[in-house]
Amino acid sequence: MNKPFETELLVRVEEAGINASAPREQLWVDGWLVRLSPGKAKRARCIQAVAPGRLPVEGRLQRCLGLYAGAGLRPYIRITPFSLPPDLDARLADLGMERIDETRVMIASMPAPADAAGDTVFATSGIRFQPVAATDFAEWIGSQRGSSIAERGAHAGRLRDAPVRHHAVLVADSSGATVAGGQVAAEEELAGLYDIFTAAPLRNRGVARALCHHLLAYAAARGARTAYLQVEAGNEPARRLYRRLGFEDAYAYHYRAPPAS
């Protein structure tokens, strides 16, 4: 990790990330927030262990596993520095659950509201940023990622019904073809970048950086002062991009899940 952040900020970012990914299909099980979205994003279909609870871990886990079995979903438990009880990760490992999907949460100060450098970079080459409805955004990003029809529908519903404001944008080239997309979730002073994706022919040409600038400028103009994002630990090209935008590692998380077999 690059530098220490105040614990209060980290907790706020963690809460904002949970809020931004809230699906309709969720319920509480003795202090654990159990999410059962059929979408692709694990953060919307996992157990968030955010409160101590009264039952033993094994008892809570059995109740949750039954819910996932009933929904036809593989269960995931998200492990963060804030998970409760504090030894949850070790206890799940002892139960044979495998560790997967190492992720970094990165944080940056927002650009000034007037900083729309991402817009001007491509102004002369015909690149356009187009705000779109949740359904259109989820359909395009899902097609690029190979998501199923059900996963695309769940993504669209989550964006549309979220308790925080999502602003989704698709990027079109001079011919009108969509070449990139992303969205920002704004909650009070925080803005989270999500679903940043560039089609293969346009990668490494600055499109993603311009898109991030555009989304952050949008959020800054509406009062956001700190940005956050979540990125796979092994995705070094993306992490280099985000570091160039001023993001720094804040904390890490991963998932535990029963063996895939």
Side-chain angles (χ1 to χ4, degrees), residues 10-11 202:
L10 300 184
V11 171
L202 269 293

Side-chain angles (χ1 to χ4, degrees), residues 193-215:
L193 291 178
Y194 289 93
D195 300 316
I196 305 300
F197 189 93
T198 305
L202 269 293
R203 289 176 187 167
N204 301 314
R205 293 175 58 180
V207 176
R209 180 169 181 166
L211 173 59
C212 290
H213 270 296
H214 176 84
L215 293 171

Side-chain angles (χ1 to χ4, degrees), residues 10-254:
L10 300 184
V11 171
R12 279 286 295 119
V13 166
E14 176 66 10
E15 289 177 347
I18 291 175
N19 291 340
S21 58
R24 292 173 296 178
E25 307 90 346
Q26 64 179 27
L27 70 164
W28 288 93
V29 174
D30 193 41
W32 286 0
L33 180 59
V34 181
R35 293 180 156 176
L36 301 162
S37 170
K40 201 166 192 173
K42 289 186 180 66
R43 58 184 177 271
R45 54 181 297 182
C46 69
I47 296 167
Q48 306 271 2
V50 296
R54 294 168 294 178
L55 297 174
V57 166
E58 292 76 11
R60 269 182 285 177
L61 186 60
Q62 286 307 310
R63 288 180 59 186
C64 295
L65 292 180
L67 293 170
Y68 282 96
L73 297 173
R74 186 185 183 193
Y76 300 99
I77 301 94
R78 186 167 174 265
I79 304 297
T80 77
F82 316 105
S83 295
L84 294 172
D87 64 345
L88 178 61
D89 192 39
R91 295 171 72 169
L92 294 176
D94 290 342
L95 292 172
M97 292 211 168
E98 60 184 12
R99 178 175 176 143
I100 60 173
D101 290 4
E102 299 284 338
T103 304
R104 298 291 180 267
V105 176
M106 304 180 76
I107 294 176
S109 297
M110 295 288 288
D115 180 9
D119 292 6
T120 59
V121 167
F122 290 99
T124 59
S125 59
I127 294 292
R128 301 188 309 280
F129 301 93
Q130 303 172 325
V132 293
T135 300
D136 294 333
F137 179 78
E139 177 60 30
W140 184 82
I141 202 80
S143 68
Q144 297 298 307
R145 291 173 169 169
S147 301
S148 68
I149 298 298
E151 289 170 338
R152 298 179 202 184
H155 190 186
R158 181 162 54 82
L159 296 181
R160 188 173 53 245
D161 302 330
V164 300
R165 183 175 67 252
H166 287 261
H167 179 68
V169 170
L170 294 179
V171 183
D173 65 12
S174 57
S175 71
T178 302
V179 297
Q183 51 113 349
V184 61
E187 181 184 348
E188 298 179 353
E189 79 285 5
L190 297 176
L193 291 178
Y194 289 93
D195 300 316
I196 305 300
F197 189 93
T198 305
L202 269 293
R203 289 176 187 167
N204 301 314
R205 293 175 58 180
V207 176
R209 180 169 181 166
L211 173 59
C212 290
H213 270 296
H214 176 84
L215 293 171
L216 293 177
Y218 173 92
R222 288 155 181 80
R225 294 294 173 262
T226 300
Y228 69 91
L229 56 86
Q230 301 159 353
V231 59
E232 292 180 4
N235 190 348
E236 189 54 35
R239 285 169 55 72
R240 281 198 301 270
L241 164 65
Y242 297 137
R243 285 193 290 265
R244 288 198 296 269
L245 289 168
F247 284 88
E248 299 180 77
D249 285 352
Y251 62 95
Y253 70 84
H254 60 272

